[in-house]
Amino acid sequence: MSRRKFLAASMAGSAAATLSLTSGAFGAALLEGYPDGMGVLVDMTRCIGCRSCEAACNKEQRLPAPDMAFDDPAAFDYSYHAGQKRRTTEAAYTVVNRYEIKGEEQPVYRKIQCNHCNEPACLTSCFVNAYTKTKEGAVVFNDKVCVGCRTCMVACPFNIPAYSYSSAFNPVVKKCVFCYETRLKNGLPPACVEICPQEALTFGNRRDLIKIAHQRINDNPGRYVDHLYGEKELGGTSWMYLSSVPFEQLAFDTTLGREPIISNVKGFLGAVPMVLAIWPALFTGFHLLATKKKHAEGHQDDHHIQEDDKR
Amino acid sequence: MKAIISRGFKPIDSPSPDNSARRWTLKEKLLLGMTPRQYFGQAVCNPFNWVLGLIFLIGVPLLIYRFAFGLGAVTHSSYDYPWGLLLGFGLFVMVPLSASGFLLGTAVNIFGRHDLHHIERLALLNGLLGYFFAVVFLLADLGQPWRLPYPMFVAFGTGAVLFLVAWHVSTYLSVQVAEVSEGFFEWMNWPQAAKFVKKITVGLTVSAIILSTLHQGALGALFTYAPGKLHPLWYAAEFQWIHFFCSSIAAGLCMVIVVSTIIKKTMAWRCDAGFLDNLDAQTITLAKGACMALITYFAIKMLAVAHDNEWAYLATGWGLWFLFELAFGILLPLVILSYGIRRERAGIVRLGAFATVLGIALNRLNCALIAFNWRLYQEVPHWAEVMLCVTIFALYIVVYRAILYRLPILYSWKAKEAHAPEAVKERIPFGVSVRPSHHQVFRTRD
Ligand code: SF4
Ligand code: SF4
Ligand code: SF4
């Protein structure tokens, strides 16, 4: 093989890969804020665990009938795998769990659902771009393209996306969609927020919610711990929480830090173009060095083949 | 098979029977030169085939069941553990064990280590089949396998690591098909095609290096999406991809040693003298490479612990498990391998290679399953998922063996004896991807 042909061949190989990759690496950096983003402030000190939000979500999202009725308090005692409380599933986009805290008279109730991250890990990990962060702040999901690799479930730091394992022919990821199609898009609050009898859930512009939350903390320093969970965590989430007890006692992950998940991956994504740029030249060099030695030994292989070609 | 050979049977290894003008028909080639009756007879006599048969008897219906009733019917994959054994073993273990193709391709074609050429084809085939079956495992695990081409043609999540994996594994698969096709073309007696593949070998090899570096690393980078879920000792944002890439070098090289050992024990009749005589020397050479990779791997593993200052974790139960992985999966193989290399004892080296393969497999299972969700609970795979893995792996062995029986991987296609004295024929006298000048050099050196 002539050197020119070899170079051409290796360039063609890497060029094809480069095209798909550089865009990928840059895509990862394209995350800015959502000025019009809406959100929900969950004030856990107000929640009484009535589970009407669960029922409203079930109705709004046309989910199958629940295993346990929405007024059955036994749901709070349910646990699986030694101590795991209920979590979101393909049939329940939101659940409310009860936590008995030592030293507190009342149990604390925590509603979980997708937090609609500002820089969603599910979105950045999906290789078919099934997720979209809308300008209203919702993280919605296109089940027409989901392949079912479940990487988004691995990536979500809050363990939110659930997968319809029971479906044989159209299993897809399911999670809270902020009632985007039916409500948010039209400026309406989500079903779960609307139904809450305690006003534990406040719907509004995310920036306003942050102000309201800090106002509440300042006005009632004895009532709240001084932390708005979701304001800064992982680049911020649209749904944020206020609590009367330290968050880790309510099974919130307080070790997540402020950097969005994608920051952990950027090191590798940044190395990709470098490998593409450096490897071909490096290994071409090695190859030339190795064959040069053969020339010196008098076994000039390039020469040999070229002669054959002429025949 | 041994019985037939002891009765004077010689499996096909040239285009025509006994230098006659007649060419073997494709059917004869497929049956290795036996009559259908003979072929069937030897297959039935082999007890290993009974085991395989039993596996398929259970596994194939189970596979059908999985597709009819969904993943939930056969796995414990849950909302918390989206990745089970099918991916943990099938993708994360199979891919590093298949790094052999690009490693040997690089050694022979880029670094000019033509002393390794007898084993190069086996390494290429090992790479191709490993990747191919990793995709088969993936297909069995994906919720909607029929949508696998989506990231190629329909929707592009270009910023996702898995997007890179998908593109690179698929392009690399085609590169490997091209690399292995040379032997196939010889076997089919299509010398022009074989010649063409030989011409683009270096280009193919360089693209193989690039693609392999990136997707071996990308498999590691996939875990960097889950910082809170993977135990900190196994998690290293900056180093994860280098860990995976570096350990895949040792895994790929040692996998070739393991496979060639099994071949030598069970399939010596299919190997030619060139393969058998050089095997010990080549095993030791490969082991040297694996040692270097293991030392580097160990160093960067420690570097990652130091960088993230995770020493305190070492005193916990997880720390013990981590230390076990290091000791059993890196240090022990390293000691065995270097002892074997120093004493030039191929047998000991083979033992070390086996330990390395197990060690790297343990690392991948730790990342994907065992140390994953360490703060939640431990996932135990469903028996049906284990059985599916065994079935697909058995299929891998069957295909592997069928190709080794036929194509000139372990032996050279004696094209020279054919009655077709074209110039082309002379250039591939032994049907190996090395040019005649080199070949002669090494023959005299042997
Ligand atoms: S909470 Fe999870 S599912 Fe929801 S947007 Fe964030 S990463 Fe995605
Ligand atoms: S499971 Fe579906 S949505 Fe999630 S990453 Fe895979 S393809 Fe994307
Ligand atoms: S926002 Fe809508 S989908 Fe999400 S939990 Fe509330 S009701 Fe359910």
Side-chain angles (χ1 to χ4, degrees):
Chain A
M1 168 184 277
S2 77
R3 248 157 243 165
R4 205 175 331 112
K5 272 192 220 152
F6 155 65
L7 282 173
S10 56
M11 291 310 275
S14 49
T18 316
L19 284 181
S20 63
L21 286 171
T22 34
S23 61
F26 289 127
L30 274 179
L31 291 158
E32 58 315 273
Y34 296 85
D36 304 329
M38 305 301 284
V40 173
L41 176 64
V42 185
D43 190 333
M44 288 185 290
T45 64
R46 298 183 181 185
C47 178
I48 52 164
C50 68
R51 295 177 66 212
S52 31
C53 52
E54 285 188 40
C57 179
N58 179 280
K59 194 164 155 234
E60 181 76 20
Q61 298 297 330
R62 304 195 183 161
L63 298 174
D67 295 340
M68 280 183 271
F70 286 117
D71 50 10
D72 183 355
F76 293 130
D77 299 323
Y78 174 87
S79 86
Y80 67 107
H81 283 293
Q84 307 295 316
K85 290 195 184 286
R86 295 190 308 149
R87 55 154 290 158
T88 56
T89 70
E90 58 181 287
Y93 296 171
T94 184
V95 296
V96 179
N97 282 323
R98 184 180 64 198
Y99 293 84
E100 314 277 357
I101 307 293
K102 267 196 217 103
E104 296 281 317
E105 283 163 30
Q106 301 291 327
V108 180
Y109 296 95
R110 171 187 172 193
K111 175 186 188 295
I112 47 178
Q113 73 296 307
C114 170
N115 287 330
H116 299 276
C117 309
N118 289 343
E119 303 196 7
C122 54
L123 185 153
T124 45
S125 71
C126 177
F127 72 153
V128 289
N129 229 354
Y131 290 90
T132 316
K133 174 92 177 164
T134 72
K135 68 177 192 322
E136 299 88 348
V139 176
V140 294
F141 170 79
N142 171 9
D143 60 11
K144 298 278 179 305
V145 296
C146 172
V147 181
C149 66
R150 314 192 292 285
T151 312
C152 51
M153 299 167 68
V154 167
C156 173
F158 303 110
N159 288 312
I160 291 302
Y163 192 70
S164 42
Y165 286 107
S166 53
S167 162
F169 302 111
N170 190 26
V172 288
V173 162
K174 308 229 168 176
K175 70 170 194 70
C176 155
V177 287
F178 217 152
C179 293
Y180 180 71
E181 286 297 330
T182 49
R183 291 164 163 272
L184 189 64
K185 215 164 67 175
N186 311 314
L188 297 172
C192 53
V193 173
E194 195 174 79
I195 205 151
C196 179
Q198 291 296 104
E199 291 183 2
L201 309 173
T202 314
F203 172 74
N205 189 292
R206 183 173 184 271
R207 276 181 308 195
D208 300 338
L209 293 177
I210 294 173
K211 283 188 205 124
I212 296 174
H214 286 296
Q215 192 70 44
R216 282 191 204 169
I217 295 174
N218 289 339
D219 293 350
N220 308 281
R223 187 179 168 117
Y224 297 103
V225 294
D226 186 11
H227 183 97
L228 175 61
Y229 191 95
E231 181 185 358
K232 305 247 168 72
E233 273 78 9
L234 300 167
T237 56
S238 296
W239 284 57
M240 293 166 292
Y241 291 82
L242 281 179
S243 170
S244 55
V245 297
F247 282 94
E248 50 276 14
Q249 294 183 20
L250 303 172
F252 279 85
D253 190 342
T254 49
T255 63
L256 291 172
R258 293 181 171 197
E259 286 285 312
I261 293 288
I262 189 69
S263 301
N264 298 285
V265 188
K266 275 184 180 150
F268 172 70
L269 291 176
V272 170
M274 299 231 272
V275 168
L276 286 172
I278 297 169
W279 262 213
L282 191 65
F283 285 92
T284 309
F286 286 143
H287 175 66
L288 295 181
L289 273 177
T291 44
K292 260 274 162 43
K293 203 164 121 224
K294 293 284 179 304
H295 294 194
E297 285 172 15
H299 306 291
Q300 216 256 39
D301 53 3
D302 283 0
H303 186 62
H304 200 95
I305 296 288
Q306 273 157 12
E307 262 180 9
D308 287 340
D309 289 346
K310 276 182 223 135
R311 258 186 253 162
Chain B
M1 192 54 102
K2 279 193 193 112
I4 297 192
I5 288 172
S6 68
R7 272 182 262 130
F9 166 75
K10 204 173 144 294
I12 289 181
D13 61 357
S14 59
S16 38
D18 298 329
N19 288 335
S20 65
R22 188 179 87 82
R23 294 257 170 136
W24 294 113
T25 65
L26 186 60
K27 185 178 159 208
E28 282 171 317
K29 280 187 196 166
L30 284 176
L31 295 178
L32 312 171
M34 284 179 253
T35 63
R37 222 195 145 85
Q38 276 175 322
Y39 189 85
F40 185 70
Q42 63 86 26
V44 167
C45 282
N46 185 346
F48 184 63
N49 286 344
W50 306 347
V51 178
L52 289 174
L54 190 68
I55 292 175
F56 291 131
L57 212 62
I58 308 169
V60 173
L62 206 58
L63 204 61
I64 296 169
Y65 182 77
R66 173 256 173 273
F67 280 105
F69 295 98
L71 260 180
V74 292
T75 70
H76 282 167
S77 287
S78 61
Y79 307 129
D80 296 319
Y81 271 96
W83 291 344
L85 198 63
L86 276 170
L87 281 187
F89 175 77
L91 188 70
F92 291 109
V93 175
M94 286 296 268
V95 169
L97 295 188
S98 313
S100 57
F102 96 90
L103 289 169
L104 269 273
T106 310
V108 175
N109 299 313
I110 304 296
F111 293 109
R113 290 296 301 265
H114 294 287
D115 55 322
L116 287 168
H117 79 81
H118 283 293
I119 211 158
E120 184 196 359
R121 279 203 178 168
L122 178 62
L124 288 175
L125 180 71
N126 181 65
L128 171 63
L129 287 179
Y131 275 91
F132 182 78
F133 275 87
V135 175
V136 175
F137 274 106
L138 185 68
L139 286 175
D141 183 79
L142 283 180
Q144 309 210 28
W146 45 88
R147 288 184 177 173
L148 187 61
Y150 275 27
M152 300 339 171
F153 306 112
V154 179
F156 310 103
T158 47
V161 170
L162 197 64
F163 186 75
L164 304 189
V165 178
W167 269 87
H168 285 175
V169 168
S170 53
T171 36
Y172 184 43
L173 251 180
S174 28
V175 168
Q176 296 202 82
V177 169
E179 287 180 325
V180 173
S181 66
E182 192 184 350
F184 174 74
F185 293 142
E186 286 170 10
W187 183 74
M188 293 296 291
N189 294 320
W190 295 341
Q192 293 301 335
K195 189 184 153 204
F196 173 74
V197 176
K198 196 192 296 294
K199 281 190 124 182
I200 58 170
T201 299
V202 178
L204 287 176
T205 310
V206 171
S207 29
I209 303 172
I210 299 167
L211 294 171
S212 300
T213 312
L214 289 178
H215 68 243
Q216 293 283 359
L219 284 181
L222 273 181
F223 290 101
T224 56
Y225 281 118
K229 299 185 185 176
L230 184 56
H231 189 281
L233 284 173
W234 281 269
Y235 179 88
E238 293 86 357
F239 298 98
Q240 198 83 0
W241 75 273
I242 309 177
H243 283 168
F244 270 53
F245 173 64
C246 193
S247 54
S248 79
I249 296 179
L253 292 175
C254 288
M255 183 66 177
V256 182
I257 300 182
V258 168
V259 172
S260 64
T261 307
I262 297 172
I263 286 170
K264 198 181 162 191
K265 287 262 182 313
T266 62
M267 228 184 276
W269 58 271
R270 182 71 287 189
C271 309
D272 64 9
F275 183 86
L276 289 177
D277 296 347
N278 290 298
L279 190 56
D280 284 3
Q282 301 193 352
T283 298
I284 290 175
T285 312
L286 294 180
K288 285 183 188 157
C291 265
M292 297 313 292
L294 279 178
I295 291 170
T296 320
Y297 177 48
F298 183 73
I300 54 178
K301 273 287 234 198
M302 297 323 294
L303 200 67
V305 175
H307 179 272
D308 299 337
N309 196 11
E310 285 156 350
W311 301 107
Y313 284 110
L314 289 181
T316 65
W318 283 109
L320 279 183
W321 182 239
F322 180 76
L323 291 174
F324 172 77
E325 185 197 303
L326 291 189
F328 169 79
I330 308 179
L331 293 179
L332 177 74
L334 201 52
V335 170
I336 305 179
L337 283 175
S338 15
Y339 181 83
I341 294 169
R342 173 96 51 85
R343 298 283 156 101
E344 299 205 350
R345 296 265 299 273
I348 294 176
V349 165
R350 292 190 170 108
L351 197 67
F354 194 68
T356 310
V357 166
L358 289 183
I360 307 291
L362 176 65
N363 170 262
R364 297 306 195 265
L365 288 176
N366 268 335
C367 290
L369 279 178
I370 301 171
F372 191 80
N373 274 350
W374 64 292
R375 290 188 290 193
L376 286 183
Y377 57 92
Q378 190 53 55
E379 154 86 350
V380 181
H382 194 289
W383 70 268
E385 189 170 8
V386 177
M387 191 60 214
L388 282 181
C389 289
V390 171
T391 308
I392 300 176
F393 197 77
L395 193 65
Y396 164 77
I397 295 176
V398 168
V399 173
Y400 211 141
R401 188 179 64 171
I403 295 178
L404 289 178
Y405 272 13
R406 290 164 181 85
L407 298 191
I409 306 285
L410 305 170
Y411 66 94
S412 307
W413 193 245
K414 297 198 184 67
K416 218 177 184 177
E417 290 173 21
H419 280 237
E422 306 131 41
V424 183
K425 284 279 171 321
E426 279 167 28
R427 240 176 288 135
I428 38 173
F430 294 93
V432 285
S433 58
V434 70
R435 285 131 196 178
S437 56
H438 289 138
H439 204 259
Q440 273 137 24
V441 172
F442 286 100
R443 296 209 81 204
T444 47
R445 271 189 204 156
D446 285 344

